[in-house]
Amino acid sequence: MVENKELEELRRKIDMLDDRLSEVLKRRLELTKEIKICKKKNKISIRDLDREEKIVGRMIKNGVPERFVRKIYSTIFEESLRIQGGI
């Protein structure tokens, strides 16, 4: 089956964005490991609900739908907590 050229091009663009997104997520997780060390050294609590809410609020302010932001960041925060030893 021959793909519609317009659809093919749009999917190619999504693939490029997904590649960028994977790099950003990978870097975020690397920074989480650094944050773990800093928090441990300074005896700072692993979970910071105020920080989490500020991140979510910033994404919503940037035009990403709230339901989507909360769903995605719930998973991101959960993984960050896991890396930092909080769950």
Side-chain angles (χ1 to χ4, degrees), residues 4-48:
N4 174 295
K5 292 291 182 187
E6 180 181 16
L7 179 59
E8 191 176 306
E9 177 62 18
L10 290 169
R11 286 181 174 166
R12 187 188 67 74
K13 288 178 181 180
I14 284 179
D15 289 345
M16 289 173 47
L17 288 172
D18 285 343
D19 290 343
R20 287 174 43 198
L21 184 56
S22 68
E23 288 300 315
V24 169
L25 289 171
K26 180 179 161 187
R27 180 63 181 137
R28 193 183 201 288
L29 294 176
E30 290 168 357
L31 287 170
T32 297
K33 292 173 186 175
E34 293 179 40
I35 286 171
K36 174 185 178 177
I37 294 166
C38 181
K39 285 181 176 180
K40 187 174 184 175
K41 181 173 70 175
N42 294 289
K43 295 180 171 79
I44 297 171
S45 175
I46 291 172
R47 188 118 198 223
D48 184 344

